[in-house]
């Protein structure tokens, strides 16, 4: 194998390295300490491995790290505050059981809020349909998201 | 999982084409389909540095680079308006937003997948593929041909006076479709339909589909699919007639 030199910015920190051409972005961010990013399937289907590549949510398991060369990658580790603020509403609902799906869901929900500030129920369901949860029925998560949005709206009015 | 021995970000289409003549080398689209098998790739050819990731719209046509993502297609204001939302409807069930940010239109059309919503939707429109060596070929012809070693550079959609509608049937929202149906109503009142996931590749009908060939797989039987085709043709026709009545501008 012929190694490839890359520079990838992970959560604001530039990392330069020589990597195998078939290393995935998932393996790359894990190798650099981003353990929130997990792999839940082998078919590009579950959304658990979601990271932002240049601010767009993508499946890190399906992107070659070489393709992230000279690009910005953001994981949950880089969004602590935002994630904690929103995550508390999911936790309040006791929405999850094993919690394995949580990091992927949080990442994609944050991507949704950046794209549509106050999404409708339909928009939430459509945007998050690629995040699978094998324990719950998604209802708790949906309530948590709606609570978060109402709270955000109120906060906005008061501010 | 795929094994890739070498990675080459192509500097030109000629260079990519030359590399692609070797059987063990492969062009990378979004890599989503490619990564599903146990493929060993000698040289992975990346077209992402060639500026083929844009959608150009003129009065006459759309020119869509092969590296444009499905999500970009789905969100493009011009395509949404031209198709009356049918493009978005065709794409929004494909796995998830994160997936569609990666999957490319080039890989989707080049693959000529039987289940493809993308192929069904583009067949419904007056579409052409631009191949690096093969030149411009109608999508209807391309869809019937076998994959070779050429490069799909871009898709061209010629604008017409037309209304579009799209419907699919799926067992769950984001599963592969059991049947797909794209429909167009032209200015002279005639219809055009593309039916896909038969489960074979999508086919185009000028007028109401007759003698549709369907097959059986895990997702449904041939008879069930025939029945679904009748229903989807009726539903899309209804949508088109309604759109015509309101006389929305395209
Ligand atoms: C789990 C899963 C579920 C899916 N569900 C659906 C669905 O419901 N509906 C649907 O329509 N589609 C579905 N798809 C297909 C998907 O939408 C894409 O069409 C598919 O992944 C191919 O696009 P890609 O960009 O990933 O191409 P790749 O996987 O990168 O490439 C596919 C093939 O095309 C070749 N290729 C790529 N680009 C070019 C080019 N420019 N010129 C020449 N050759 C090229 C590659 O070498 C490869 O052989 C699904 C795919 C997966 C993996
Ligand atoms: S690990 Fe399941 S989509 Fe990436
Ligand atoms: S809580 Fe277990 S997978 Fe979602």
């Amino acid at each position: 194998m012929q190694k490839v030199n890359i520079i990838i910015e992970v959560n604001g920190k530039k990392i330069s390295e020589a990597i195998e051409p078939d290393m995935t972005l998932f393996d790359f961010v894990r190798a650099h300490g981003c353990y929130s990013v997990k792999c839940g399937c082998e078919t590009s289907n579950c959304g658990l491995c979601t990271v932002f590549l240049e601010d767009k949510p993508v499946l890190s398991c399906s992107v070659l790290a070489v393709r992230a060369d000279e690009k910005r990658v953001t994981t949950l580790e880089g969004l602590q505050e935002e994630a904690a603020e929103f995550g508390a509403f999911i936790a309040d609902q006791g929405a999850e059981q094993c919690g394995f799906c949580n990091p992927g869901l949080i990442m994609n929900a944050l991507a949704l809020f950046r794209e549509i500030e106050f999404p409708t129920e339909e928009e939430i369901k459509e945007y998050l349909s690629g995040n699978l949860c094998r324990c719950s029925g998604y209802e708790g998560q949906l309530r948590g998201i709606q609570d978060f949005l109402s709270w955000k709206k109120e906060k906005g009015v008061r501010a | 999982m795929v094994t890739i021995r070498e990675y080459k970000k192509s500097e030109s289409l000629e260079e990519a084409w030359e590399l692609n003549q070797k059987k063990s080398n492969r062009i990378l689209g979004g890599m989503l389909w490619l990564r599903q098998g146990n493929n060993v790739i000698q040289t992975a050819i990346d077209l992402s540095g060639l500026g083929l990731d844009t959608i150009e719209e003129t009065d006459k046509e759309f020119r869509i680079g092969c590296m444009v993502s499905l999500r970009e297609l789905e969100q493009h204001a011009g395509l949404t308006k031209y198709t009356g939302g049918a493009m978005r409807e065709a794409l929004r069930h494909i796995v998830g937003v994160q997936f569609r940010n990666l999957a490319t239109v080039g890989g989707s059309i080049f693959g000529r997948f039987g289940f493809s919503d993308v192929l069904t939707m583009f067949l419904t429109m007056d579409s052409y593929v631009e191949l690096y060596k093969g030149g411009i070929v109608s999508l209807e012809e391309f869809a019937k041909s076998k994959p070779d070693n050429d490069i799909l550079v871009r898709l061209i959609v010629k604008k017409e006076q037309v209304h579009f509608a799209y419907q699919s049937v799926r067992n769950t929202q984001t599963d592969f479709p059991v049947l797909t149906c794209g429909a167009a109503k032209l200015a002279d009142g005639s219809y055009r339909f593309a039916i896909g996931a038969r489960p074979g590749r999508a086919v185009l009908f000028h007028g109401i589909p007759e003698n549709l060939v369907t097959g059986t797989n895990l997702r449904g039987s041939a008879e069930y699919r025939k029945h679904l085709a009748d229903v989807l043709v009726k539903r899309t026709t209804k949508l088109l007639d309604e759109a015509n009545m309101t006389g929305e501008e395209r």
Side-chain angles (χ1 to χ4, degrees), chain B residues 37-55:
Chain B
N38 267 328
N39 294 310
V40 178
I41 300 174
Q42 180 56 39
T43 303
I45 310 161
D46 192 349
L47 307 177
S48 61
L50 301 177
L52 294 170
D53 55 355
T54 60
I55 304 176

Side-chain angles (χ1 to χ4, degrees), chain B residues 180-197:
Chain B
T180 61
C181 173
K185 186 172 184 180
L186 295 135
D188 64 3
S190 66
Y191 296 92
R192 191 163 67 208
F193 294 89
I195 311 276

